[in-house]
Each structure stands twice: as C-alpha cells, then as structure tokens.
Amino acid sequence: MFEILPCKGHRDGVPEMRVTYNQLLKMVLEKGIKETAKQVDSVALGVFEPLENVVLSLNISGLHIKPFSAKLQNVPLYNVSSDTFILGSQTLAIDDGMNSHFPGEFAYGGAFLIEDLINRAQLDLRINGYPNDVHDKQEVRKFITNEDVDRAQLTIDVVYPQALNAYVNSTENYKFSENGVVKTNFQTVNFRSNGVLQLIYEIKEFVSEVFVAGAKGSILFGDNGYKIVGDFKEMDTLYISGLSLKGYGIYLAAGIGIVVKAENNQALIEKILSNEARAYNLFDIGIKKDVGTIPLAQLKKPTVSVNNLEVKTCSLTSIYLAQKISEKLIVS
Amino acid sequence: MTDKIRKKWVLHFPATNSDKPIAYHLVKDFNLVINILQATAQEETDSFLILEVIGRKKDIEHSLEFLRQQDIEVEDMEKGITLNFNKCIHCGLCVGLCPTEALTIDHLTWEVCFNKSECVVCDLCLKYCPVKAIEMEFLK
Ligand code: SF4
Ligand code: SF4
C-alpha cells in the first residue's frame, strides 16, 4: 500500500491531495478511475532523461571585448552580444576525437561543462575580439566559475508531436545510437523517453507548476511545442548529468517536474494514464527499417517479445529519478 | 567483439628465463592484446611482469599452457566490477546489456541493483554506462 504524503495547498479547508504518476497508476488499480478522480487534486509528473535542444545562455559582464569567437574549457560558445554567450548542450569540445576511433568516447562537451559550472569548477574562458571605439581588448583569457556569471538561463525546447523510437538491431554488429548501444541479433530493445515530455503538451491547459533541475521553472506553449526555462544559478547537479553515448555523442540529462491540476477531472486522469499505452516506433537500426510499434508499458518490462524472440529492454530514461522528482513536488 | 575476456596476470619468471620475449609471443602466437602494467627485472631475484591480457577464451587457455611450459608461474589477479551509486542515474541501460542477472531493476522503486555474485566481468556495463558509474577494481 502506498501512503499519500502531505503537501501544501488546501481546497475548501481540506489539504490538497497531490500524487505522483506511479501513485496514480496504483490508486486507479485499487479504487477505480471514478473514485481516484474524486479524491485527487493534482498530479506530479517527473522526467529524467537525455534531452534534445538544450541551451544555456551565460551573461558575463566586465569583459571589455567585442567577441568574434569564444570557448569555455575548449567548448565553443556563440556570442550573441558583447557579454552574452550561448552554449549548446551537445556541442563537443574542439579537440574531441569524435568517431575517428570508432566507437568514439565523446568524453567532454556542453553537457559536461554545464555540470562543471554548477559544481563551481574553475573553467578556462578564451575570447578573441575585434577592435572598436568602445571595447579596448582584443583577447581575453581567464579562469571563471559560476560566480563570475551574472545571469544564466537554461532553456529546453520540446518539439510536439515527436515520434518516439525504440531500436532493435538484426545485424551482427553493435549499433551506436541516441538510445545507447544496441546489441546484435535482437538482444536488446533500446529507448530513451518515458513519454512525459509529450504528455505535458497534451495536457498543457492544466500545468500549474514547473520544476527544472532543482530550480523553479516557467513554461511557454506554442503551436508545435513548448519551452521550459529555469534560472541556472538555482540548479543542482543532483538533477543534471552529462552523458557520453559511445559512438554517438553527448547529451544532457536533466530532471523536469510538472504539477497538473486534476480536480474532479476524470478525462485528464485518463489522458495521464494513457501515457503507458503511448506507441513507440520499433525500428531496426541495423537495416534501417520500421518493424512495428510497441507501447511504453511493454518497454518498462525487463523483456519484451519481438519477432517471437525474448528481447531485453535497455532504457536511458531514469524512471527512478523521475519518481524522486515527482515525490519532491508532492512534499515541497 | 563480445566473446573476448580480460585477465590480469602476474608472471613470475625463473632467473634463467627472464630475457625471453614473452610479451611478443603472447601477441604474435595467441592473438592477445596485452597491456604491460608493471615490469621488473631485478638481478638475482625472481623477476615479474604484471600484464593485462585481452583475448578469446581459447587463446587465453593456450597461452597459459605455453607460459607454464616456459616455467613461468602465472598468478591470476581477480578483478571485479563495482557500481558507484554517487554517479549512477538509474537509467537502466546496463541492465539490458548485462548478459546475466547481475544488474537488475527493482520494479517497485525503479532502482538499479547490482548483484556481484552473478557478474561474469564481461565489461559491457563498464564500456557503455553513459555516466561512467561502473568501475573496475583489481583484487589480488
Ligand atoms: S548504465 Fe550507468 S547510470 Fe545507467 S543504470 Fe547502469 S550504472 Fe547506472
Ligand atoms: S561486467 Fe558484464 S556481467 Fe558483470 S555486471 Fe557488467 S554487464 Fe553484467
């Protein structure tokens, strides 16, 4: 049996009942959907997985230079003004060997730099600029830490709708992908998302709170996706991790939490539960061919059946940390 | 690529044998990849060589026979895998890669668990963990 943890907020003098995604699944099994919808006020959803389209903007004043190129710890930055730089989470350090010795290690780049910044590491900043009447320097080389950054914002851009892929590999060679290494002869099926980032868009009108990597975030919905923005200075490496995907590249995995208001809204609860049935494209990465679809609920099991073979599931989405984040949201 | 195993050996040479090109034979005759971790050749005492060898099981067995024929004593240093939970993000990639039940997910808490006694030290988790939470330890 699970316990509903106390949380802040009241409705008609009764403490708000906020549950996590996993608690909601269990509650519906025990009490049925009608009763659950009556009792639950809000649901906390969590994500911790490798993310696409993450940029960090860094504002560093007092550099006295008009930059044309910049790098931090050998990772290129884009200068968008004389004191603001953009770092891409998947940008590689300029001396990265990439896949020259296949499969490459992809040991350092934007995502790791983001982690190092939060950890207050000393980082090597090198800027080249051009002369003008305002800025006197043409070269800056100094060590900085997060303390030297005046303002920083992490932005995650989520595209909707986005096909979610699960890979199998029918060949005799390992395949290296954004879902991790896919073993040979249908030994593994690899996926990387718990579907919640797509779900958030589908229930966008009910989103009430956003948590991003330890900071309070804000969310902006558009016609084909949304952006989550958070104050980088408040972020915590507990919820952020650089990932090296061998033979493929670098990713930032970050924790995102969302609270949705669900008061007496059975349709919303049904929508949230339907995330378990979300269909992933099953794609044979060895021969680049679609082989069907598979629901998330199956991928969450230790093995699934593909072509009558028992195939082990390999995930890159941390359901454990997603759960921890949603637990944090029901008590904070 | 998957059926190769890795061993760490200490080779103790008899005084009379210390100038034979053993490493050369291991590479040339048995297709092993070797990595010399430490070498000594002290006069009048036993000399030894600490090697990491990687190769197919059969080749490793044959090379052991060869070494024994040369009167070289081979000491196997056991190695093991440890999971550093300070780094692990519990993604589950290693769980699917692991050929045994050494790495599993607790489906109640979704935590990744490591059971050393099931581990055959195939190195797959070590190679592919995206946050390098799997570490190798050599136990003498
Ligand atoms: S692959 Fe690495 S981070 Fe992922 S569960 Fe295994 S040890 Fe943890
Ligand atoms: S070394 Fe191989 S057997 Fe041992 S835990 Fe890692 S993947 Fe499993």
Side-chain angles (χ1 to χ4, degrees), chain A residues 174 183 300 312 315 318 320, chain B residues 2 89 91 97-98 107 110 130:
Chain A
Y174 278 27
K183 277 174 99 174
K300 282 164 82 174
K312 276 188 146 188
S315 125
S318 176
Y320 172 77
Chain B
T2 52
I89 57 167
C91 63
L97 296 176
C98 180
H107 278 265
W110 295 97

Side-chain angles (χ1 to χ4, degrees), chain A residues 315-316, chain B residues 83-85 87-95 97 103 112 125 128-134:
Chain A
S315 125
L316 274 181
Chain B
L83 205 168
N84 182 343
F85 282 105
K87 288 192 191 164
C88 176
I89 57 167
H90 301 268
C91 63
L93 181 70
C94 59
V95 175
L97 296 176
L103 288 158
V112 168
C125 57
Y128 298 117
C129 169
V131 297
K132 303 200 168 43
I134 308 265

Side-chain angles (χ1 to χ4, degrees), chain B residues 12-63:
Chain B
H12 294 275
F13 295 87
T16 52
N17 210 354
S18 59
D19 50 1
K20 272 207 170 172
I22 291 300
Y24 170 81
H25 285 293
L26 293 179
V27 174
K28 196 83 180 55
D29 304 344
F30 302 100
N31 294 318
L32 303 182
V33 174
I34 68 165
N35 187 6
I36 298 177
L37 303 172
Q38 204 181 331
T40 56
Q42 295 152 318
E43 274 160 34
E44 289 174 42
T45 56
D46 249 15
S47 60
F48 67 86
L49 187 64
I50 303 181
L51 285 179
E52 189 179 36
V53 296
I54 303 164
R56 297 218 312 248
K57 196 162 179 252
K58 275 248 142 50
D59 290 332
I60 291 208
E61 279 164 11
H62 291 149
S63 69

Side-chain angles (χ1 to χ4, degrees), chain A residues 8-27:
Chain A
K8 66 164 189 215
H10 288 76
R11 180 162 57 120
D12 304 331
V14 184
E16 175 182 322
M17 191 200 245
R18 185 179 287 183
V19 295
T20 68
Y21 181 80
N22 285 357
Q23 286 171 337
L24 185 76
L25 295 182
K26 285 183 201 157
M27 202 168 167

Side-chain angles (χ1 to χ4, degrees), chain B residues 81 94 97-100 102-103 114 118-126 134:
Chain B
I81 291 286
C94 59
L97 296 176
C98 180
T100 70
L103 288 158
F114 178 53
E118 296 280 334
C119 173
V120 295
V121 202
C122 71
D123 287 0
L124 278 179
C125 57
L126 179 80
I134 308 265

